[in-house]
Structure formats: structure tokens, C-alpha cells
Amino acid sequence: MYSLEVKNLSKSFNNIKAVDNVSFSVPEGSVFGLIGRNGAGKTTTIRMMMNIYLPDSGEVLLRGVRIGQEFKDKAGYLPEERGLYKKMKIWDTLLYFAELKGKTGRETEKKAIQYLKKFELFDRRNAKVEDLSKGNQQKIQFITTVLHDPEFLILDEPFSGLDPVNTDLLKDIILDLKSSGKVIILSTHLMDFAERLCDHIALIDHGKIILHGSLNDIKNNYAKNNVILSCATDINFLKDSVLVDSIIDKGNEKSIKLKNPDDSDKLLQLLVENGIKVKKFIAGEISLHEIFIEVTSNGSSSNKEVANV
Amino acid sequence: MFNRRTIAVLKRELKNKLFSRTFILMTLLIPIFLFGILGFQTLIMTYSGNDKTNLVLITEDSNLTQKIKSDFNSLTFVKNGIIRFDYKTLSKAGFMGYLDESRKMLLEDKISGIIFIPGNALKNKKIEYYSKSPKNYQLFEKIRDPLNTTLLQVYFADKKLSPDEINFVKDKIDFNEYRISSDRKIEVEGYGNTIVSFLFSFLLYFSLIFTGTMVMRAVVEEKNNRIVEVLLSSVNSIELMTGKIIGTSITGVLQMAIWMLPLVVVISTTLFVLPPEFAVTLSIWQVLYFLLNFFIALVTFMGLFASVGAIFDNDQDAQSGIWPIMIIIMIPFFITMGLQSNPDNTIARIGSMFPFGSLIIMPARMALIDVPVWQLLFSFVINIATMLLLFPVAGKIYRTGILMTGKKPGWGEVIKWLQIKY
């Protein structure tokens, strides 16, 4: 069952197609990653999902019904470019944004206190937003996103500008929210995060979706031919081997693409025969980063959708 | 358009504005400023220069010189020494010689001026004034009447007229102004209503521009800080704009009502009795009409100011993009300034029933003359229609502009935004 379906969304600015016929589906209870380079069309897509931009064509469905105010009330949105009223007090800010979503009263206040304590900002609740550090402002922004207990969380580059400690804190909260059944959609250009957090992804490049599906399926599909190798000595001789299609040198590790997925045993044998000291040899493994590089550098715009999402 | 989200925005706007330092300061300072201006104007008008004026008054007939001297000595400004006269009797030729001798004294300001009354003045009343700066209207204003009186008395002295008859000739016509209104009352008209009319138009003009600039700044700030994107994920742009504008307008009307309080006290109670020349003929209904009119004006113009704020993403650009709105506020304001010399002029009458003009001119007119009810109603309908037509247009510009960043859009582009269908 899909909670959200994005269907054939397109949006142009001054005759430049920012988003070009984008479609993807977000399953219930998943963490969905919209990944792509800067300027690929992630934010524009998300803004159309939030009904901030109106698409030139296409639609977004919430459980089969076109999205409207109901979705806005159910969603919490953290935009890429954060924004709060500088002169407003933190406490007032939190309650104001919750009120806009229709949440007021004791329950909301209690939650606000909980979140402020969690982020160690409770003592500063009567300070003005402008008196906080940038990182702390980001935390406040995040609380405004989740305070009304949204069913959907839409986070545009949620980790940008956070230090490692707060990044982990935010990651934990996202996973917490996931386990309580929320649907989380996040956009990022950081493949590591996407790989660790998301179960489903859509890869967007130049306004088009070029890869879409469950992360496991995608990785399996791309990893079949791939071997990750770590060794002390030079392996240049492999370049001429009939088994190998290409080698990507990643410093400590090399990522070797085989012509035939069944040849990994032969490759290992070849390495041993040549007296190479193998430290690590993983067949059928690939990082999202590599997939990303591969599909975006192909220049192919064909929709490589993975079946059985 | 009015739902809990609009109300939430409205509430924030009210809370934010009503308890702000700016609001409290403005509410207190504007009346002080206004009275300051009035006082300053009066001061300028009555300021006659603290330099003593030394004049030489010369006639060709010693009897006339004596008569003028004795008449002038009873004048206040002569008695308290503001103007000092030296009297001489010289013939025309003698005068020319004297003038030559005194040239140096005149240039060194030892003598401020020489008044020469030729013999012919008793026929044609032409008097000569010689000075380094001869266009001294303030002086002429002061001595014209007393001199005229003396000349008349001399002229009629051998014509056997009684002093009463001479006084009749001398007196100017005195207009007593009465206001005729539909309620059959006839009242003496003083300056009171002129001041109220000025007050109405000045406060409208000032508040619209001041509040408008604030709204514009707030929109630019929201756009700049990207708060708007967070807001738009909860509310739509029309709800946001409506809440913001209604909130601001309520604040504005509240402030205006505070300013109107003294006026209401004056016209409805007998706590303060104004001197008759400052008596104000105004009903509470007119004050209420003014406040309602102000509310409509705020909603109408704030929409425009908000949309200009949405077009630009910094204060400087926004300030320079504001001129079309300034024009439609300033032209009616200038028309109201002309009302004081003729409250029923045609331009004002038409202007007060024309979009935008009706918001600014009608209150000022209404304070001066008894505007026919149909004109008031017509103007009111025009106001409402302008507001209802303009608000969606402003909304369209607002909702498109608010999310645009980067290049400053041209007016052509803004017109294109109007054609975007939502």
C-alpha cells in the first residue's frame, strides 16, 4: 500500500524544466529518500508535494486522493533553507507553528517541553530566536516540524549544518518516528545517510527520476557484478584480465566490476595465484554512492525502475 | 478565507504589533508631533523678526506729518518699540536729496526703510517705500490699515462727514460664516472643521504610508528569512496574506481610534469648551465613518504594499518599487489640501467618489461640508468594490512573488503572474 503517490509531476521556471515528468510512490511506514545532486530538482519536487508550488502538470495523491489542506495538516515540513521569526520567543514560535497546524492546548505544550528538554533547550524557551546559535535554531526548526505529531515528515536536507552529535540525535529521532509508524520523506545529497536511513529511494537527476525502488533491490541489482577488494599490493595486472570490466580505485578499497556475476570465485583465485595479500574481499556488495556515480555519469535519462518494489 | 489558520496568523500579528514598542511610541508621538507642527506654523506666522525696525516717514505736508505721528503713536507696535518712526516733512525735491544722503544709512541697516507719502497720495493712495529689501509684506500688512485710516480722515476732514460715516467708508466687509446642514441648524463656522479636515487627511496619509511600509518590510523579511516556506507548508498564501493584513488593519484602526478619542470627547461632551472660532461641528457618526473608511483603506492599501514586498527580496528594491502606490496615496492627499480654500471644488467632489480618492478625500470633505448622503454611500460602495477587486489581484502577485528569489522581476513579469491560474 502506498501512502503517497507522485504522478507525472512537471514544473518549469522560465522555460527551464526543473522537474520533468517525475513519478514515484512512497510505501506506508517507510523512510523514503529523494536523492540527487544539488539543483537536481529535489526541493522543487518536495515543494509541489507540500502544495507550495503548483505543478505545471501531474498530481500528488494521498492514499488515492489528491492532496490538499488535509495533507498539510498531517505533514511536518522542514525546508532546506530554514526560517524562523528572529524576534519571536522560542516558546511562542513553537506554539505558533503548532497552532497553524491546528494543535493547541496542554497536550501540545507538554510535548513542546519534552522536545525542548530532549534538545537541551528548555532553559532557553523564553529567549528570542535570534539569540540562539545557528545549530540551536536548527533544533527549534526541527521541533516546529514534529510538534504537531504529523503522520508525514518531509525533511529537505535535514542534516545540513548539524554537528556530528546533533546529526546522530536527529537520526535517532527519525528512526524513532519511523518505528512509531510515521512516513518519512527526506531529500539529501549525502549518500551515506540515505544508505543508512532509507528503505526506499528515488534518484533524481536533471529533473528526471533515473532510479526508483527499494534500496535493497537496487543494491542487489547493481551489486551482482561488483566486488569490493582491499589489499596491500598493486593489482594493475587485473585491468587486462578477461574477467574484469572496470576498476574504481577508492583509495583503501577498490571496487571491481566483473563482466559476469558468477566470476567472483575465479577473481579471488586469480588474486591468490598472483600472490596478492587480500585483506577484504566482498562479492555482491556496492555502495549507494557508487550506484549514484554510475547512473548519473552514464548520462542516460532512461527510467531504470527496479521491479518488485 | 477565514478559518483557524487565518485567525492564528491574525492573532500573532495583533500580539506582535499591539505590544510592540513602535506601536506605543507612535500612538503617543504622532499627536505631539501634529500639535508641534501646528504650533510651529503659528510661531512662524507671527514671527516678525526680533530686529528693531527703524523707519523714516516723510510727507510733503507738515499737518499730515503731525496727524500721522499722533495716530501712529497709539499703535501697539509703535508703543512697544517694535517699529520706530522718525517723522519728517520734505518737498519732493528735498526728499530726493535726503534719500541721497541716507543711502549709506540704508545700506548699513541703520535705517530699515523710508516711507514717502507724496502729496498726490491723497488722490491716488500711492505711497513709496525705499529700502535695501523693499518687499517687506509683513510691514505693509501692519501699517496699511492705520495709514489708510489717517489718509481717509484727512481726505474727508473738510467734507463735513461724521466719524460714523468715515468709519463706514473705512471698514472692510466682514464675512460671518454659517454652516447650513440638512438638519436645519445654522451654525457659526469657525476654523475647527478646517483643522479636523486637515487632521483626517494627514492622519490617513501618514498612517497608510507608515503602516504600509511596515507591512512591506515584514513581507520582505519573511521572504528573505525563508519563513514563508515554513508558513506555506501549513497555510496557503491567501490565508497568510489575509491574516496578516486584517491583523495589521485592526491594529491601525485601534491606533486611529485612540487618536480620535480627544476629538470625540470634544464633540460629545462639554468637558472642554473650545473658543467659538475653533468650534467643531462633527457628529460621532462621522468619526465612525472615518474609522470604518480607514479600515477599508488599510485593507486595500496593505494588500498593495504586501504584494510589492513580495515582488522584491530586499528593502532597497522594495522602497524603489513602491512609487505606484505612493502616487495613488499622494494625489488624493494633495487634492485634500486644496479643500481648505474651497471645500466644494469639482476636482475634490469627483475625486471623493473615485477609487482610492474616495478613501482619502471623502473624510476630509465630509468634515468641511455637508456631503449629500448619496455621495457618501456611493463613495462607500466604490471603496468596498475597490477593496474586493484589488485584494485577489494583490493576492495573486503575493503568492507568486513570495516564493521567487534571485533576479528582480520586471513589471511585465509581474503582470504575467496575474495570468497564472491557480
Side-chain angles (χ1 to χ4, degrees):
Chain A
M1 177 66 181
Y2 296 123
S3 55
L4 272 180
E5 287 171 89
V6 171
K7 286 191 167 170
N8 310 101
L9 280 188
S10 291
K11 179 86 182 170
S12 300
F13 296 108
N14 298 322
N15 298 324
I16 297 164
K17 280 215 160 180
V19 171
D20 190 359
N21 202 23
V22 159
S23 301
F24 57 83
S25 323
V26 181
E28 296 281 5
S30 69
V31 177
F32 186 95
L34 190 59
I35 60 181
R37 280 190 278 186
N38 295 328
K42 301 186 295 281
T43 298
T44 308
T45 306
I46 284 181
R47 283 181 179 172
M48 284 190 280
M49 292 172 75
M50 283 314 300
N51 224 350
I52 294 173
Y53 281 160
L54 268 113
D56 296 342
S57 61
E59 57 182 356
V60 181
L61 303 178
L62 166 67
R63 301 192 178 109
V65 185
R66 205 173 192 155
I67 56 156
Q69 187 62 46
E70 190 204 358
F71 178 64
K72 282 191 175 183
D73 289 345
K74 281 183 180 167
Y77 172 53
L78 182 75
E80 181 180 6
E81 290 176 82
R82 315 289 145 81
L84 294 169
Y85 289 105
K86 286 188 186 139
K87 305 264 176 213
M88 211 169 170
K89 283 182 185 166
I90 289 163
W91 185 248
D92 293 342
T93 303
L94 295 180
L95 294 188
Y96 176 56
F97 283 107
E99 191 182 356
L100 287 179
K101 296 285 191 187
K103 288 279 166 77
T104 49
R106 290 286 317 144
E107 219 25 60
T108 312
E109 285 175 30
K110 246 161 73 187
K111 269 195 110 144
I113 293 169
Q114 269 173 23
Y115 272 112
L116 282 171
K117 283 184 173 158
K118 200 172 204 166
F119 282 106
E120 293 169 350
L121 283 168
F122 183 67
D123 299 340
R124 310 215 53 192
R125 64 191 180 282
N126 284 322
K128 281 183 182 170
V129 170
E130 62 183 354
D131 296 332
L132 292 186
S133 71
K134 216 158 179 192
N136 281 342
Q137 288 188 20
Q138 297 235 36
K139 293 186 201 166
I140 298 298
Q141 187 99 50
F142 183 77
I143 301 177
T144 64
T145 313
V146 291
L147 186 56
H148 61 288
D149 196 19
E151 215 178 299
F152 297 87
L153 267 175
I154 300 188
L155 314 171
D156 199 355
E157 300 281 2
F159 301 105
S160 74
L162 287 183
D163 63 44
V165 176
N166 285 313
T167 304
D168 277 352
L169 184 61
L170 183 57
K171 218 158 51 185
D172 290 347
I173 292 176
I174 291 176
L175 292 173
D176 260 7
L177 289 164
K178 185 202 169 180
S179 60
S180 62
K182 316 277 184 206
V183 177
I184 296 152
I185 298 164
L186 59 91
S187 91
T188 183
H189 63 275
L190 303 169
M191 298 304 140
D192 293 0
F193 285 116
E195 195 163 0
R196 270 180 275 168
L197 280 172
C198 303
D199 356 271
H200 289 76
I201 60 158
L203 205 161
I204 186 166
D205 196 42
H206 292 104
K208 292 189 168 112
I209 296 285
I210 54 176
L211 198 60
H212 167 216
S214 110
L215 187 63
N216 278 335
D217 291 348
I218 291 174
K219 279 180 82 168
N220 287 339
N221 199 27
Y222 277 83
K224 267 186 279 179
N225 293 20
N226 217 63
V227 171
I228 301 222
L229 173 71
S230 172
C231 59
T233 35
D234 186 61
I235 52 161
N236 262 342
F237 68 94
L238 279 180
K239 273 185 187 159
D240 305 321
S241 163
V242 284
L243 302 173
V244 175
D245 185 41
S246 64
I247 301 174
I248 301 169
D249 194 342
K250 294 166 72 189
N252 290 333
E253 290 180 355
K254 317 258 188 290
S255 178
I256 301 169
K257 196 172 178 189
L258 299 171
K259 283 179 181 153
N260 188 339
D262 302 327
D263 283 348
S264 57
D265 293 350
K266 287 184 192 160
L267 176 68
L268 184 58
Q269 203 179 353
L270 188 66
L271 288 167
V272 174
E273 278 166 9
N274 281 278
I276 306 287
K277 285 226 161 63
V278 176
K279 282 193 206 154
K280 186 160 110 185
F281 184 96
I282 311 170
E285 178 62 40
I286 191 168
S287 70
L288 185 57
H289 185 88
E290 282 167 80
I291 300 175
F292 179 76
I293 299 290
E294 188 182 330
V295 291
T296 52
S297 61
N298 272 351
S300 86
S301 54
S302 61
N303 199 339
K304 295 182 183 172
E305 194 153 343
V306 177
N308 316 321
V309 180
Chain B
M1 204 155 77
F2 282 98
N3 49 36
R4 63 168 168 78
R5 289 178 294 276
T6 314
I7 307 270
V9 177
L10 194 156
K11 260 165 50 192
R12 193 196 95 90
E13 211 58 43
L14 281 181
K15 204 173 144 192
N16 206 16
K17 292 244 161 69
L18 283 180
F19 300 110
S20 76
R21 219 175 308 149
T22 327
F23 179 83
I24 297 166
L25 270 179
M26 286 319 271
T27 311
L28 293 176
L29 284 181
I30 288 299
I32 296 172
F33 174 70
L34 262 179
F35 281 107
I37 282 195
L38 283 176
F40 187 66
Q41 235 173 2
T42 328
L43 193 76
I44 292 283
M45 300 276 269
T46 51
Y47 178 78
S48 49
N50 46 12
D51 314 331
K52 293 262 163 57
T53 312
N54 287 312
L55 295 174
V56 181
L57 193 143
I58 300 168
T59 77
E60 292 190 82
D61 173 358
S62 59
N63 285 336
L64 182 60
T65 311
Q66 280 312 312
K67 170 88 175 124
I68 292 176
K69 187 175 177 180
S70 69
D71 283 356
F72 272 28
N73 278 342
S74 61
L75 295 172
T76 354
F77 57 81
V78 176
K79 266 197 258 173
N80 56 28
I82 291 174
I83 301 179
R84 226 178 52 79
F85 283 100
D86 273 335
Y87 302 94
K88 284 188 176 8
T89 311
L90 292 169
S91 67
K92 177 85 186 171
F95 166 70
M96 292 321 282
Y98 177 77
L99 189 61
D100 255 0
E101 286 163 30
S102 326
R103 189 178 299 273
K104 195 161 170 255
M105 306 256 283
L106 280 167
L107 289 174
E108 284 170 0
D109 270 337
K110 294 211 171 78
I111 303 174
S112 318
I114 299 172
I115 300 167
F116 181 58
I117 304 175
N120 256 352
L122 280 166
K123 290 195 180 98
N124 60 16
K125 289 193 181 173
K126 285 199 191 309
I127 288 170
E128 294 161 19
Y129 181 66
Y130 298 86
S131 169
K132 208 167 78 175
S133 47
K135 284 208 184 325
N136 194 342
Y137 296 112
Q138 220 161 29
L139 172 72
F140 301 160
E141 236 12 85
K142 277 204 176 100
I143 61 171
R144 176 176 280 127
D145 277 355
L147 203 53
N148 194 37
T149 309
T150 310
L151 289 185
L152 283 175
Q153 281 167 354
V154 173
Y155 183 82
F156 287 114
D158 51 352
K159 296 195 170 60
K160 296 195 176 105
L161 291 176
S162 69
D164 279 353
E165 284 167 309
I166 294 173
N167 278 341
F168 178 76
V169 174
K170 185 192 84 181
D171 282 346
K172 287 189 282 191
I173 288 174
D174 184 11
F175 275 103
N176 288 310
E177 295 131 9
Y178 297 94
R179 168 190 278 241
I180 303 290
S181 52
S182 50
D183 53 9
R184 290 183 175 212
K185 271 194 293 187
I186 297 176
E187 288 158 301
V188 183
E189 175 87 342
Y191 297 112
N193 282 59
T194 312
I195 293 172
V196 169
S197 159
F198 169 75
L199 212 66
F200 277 2
S201 46
F202 177 81
L203 286 178
L204 262 173
Y205 169 78
F206 173 82
S207 294
L208 283 179
I209 289 181
F210 185 78
T211 323
T213 316
M214 292 229 297
V215 165
M216 190 184 75
R217 288 239 169 99
V219 172
V220 171
E221 193 211 345
E222 280 177 2
K223 187 176 165 170
N224 236 338
N225 282 352
R226 314 302 302 164
I227 302 164
V228 74
E229 204 178 329
V230 188
L231 293 172
L232 290 184
S233 73
S234 305
V235 306
N236 71 42
S237 54
I238 293 294
E239 289 164 349
L240 179 61
M241 187 172 121
T242 309
K244 185 178 277 302
I245 285 173
I246 303 288
T248 311
S249 304
I250 291 175
T251 321
V253 168
L254 221 69
Q255 188 170 51
M256 191 62 89
I258 296 174
W259 290 336
M260 286 296 123
L261 275 181
L263 185 67
V264 171
V265 171
V266 164
I267 61 176
S268 60
T269 68
T270 48
L271 284 176
F272 302 98
V273 182
L274 294 174
E277 64 262 41
F278 291 113
V280 174
T281 324
L282 205 69
S283 73
I284 293 289
W285 293 111
Q286 282 172 304
V287 177
L288 288 178
Y289 179 92
F290 174 68
L291 288 176
L292 181 63
N293 174 86
F294 181 54
F295 183 77
I296 298 169
L298 277 170
V299 175
T300 310
F301 280 105
M302 291 315 108
L304 294 178
F305 276 103
S307 58
V308 168
I311 294 172
F312 302 99
D313 55 10
N314 64 70
D315 278 346
Q316 282 93 347
D317 284 347
Q319 280 297 347
S320 62
I322 213 173
W323 60 267
I325 309 177
M326 291 307 232
I327 286 177
I328 47 177
I329 295 181
M330 279 167 108
I331 290 179
F333 178 66
F334 289 138
I335 294 176
T336 62
M337 293 291 104
L339 280 176
Q340 277 145 34
S341 52
N342 179 8
D344 206 17
N345 71 63
T346 318
I347 295 178
R349 201 177 329 149
I350 295 170
S352 68
M353 286 179 281
F354 203 75
F356 303 116
S358 53
L359 291 165
I360 296 166
I361 304 171
M362 190 52 100
R365 255 188 94 207
M366 174 186 81
L368 284 172
I369 57 166
D370 201 31
V371 177
V373 177
W374 74 265
Q375 288 189 8
L376 272 179
L377 286 178
F378 186 76
S379 165
F380 188 74
V381 170
I382 290 283
N383 288 343
I384 297 280
T386 313
M387 179 178 77
L388 292 181
L389 279 174
L390 218 60
F391 205 77
V393 173
K396 273 192 164 181
I397 298 177
Y398 180 80
R399 73 182 302 167
T400 312
I402 198 91
L403 287 168
M404 293 269 171
T405 44
K407 208 176 115 264
K408 194 167 89 176
W411 293 110
E413 220 167 308
V414 174
I415 295 193
K416 260 192 229 152
W417 295 354
L418 295 178
Q419 290 148 7
I420 300 174
K421 286 210 173 63
Y422 286 98

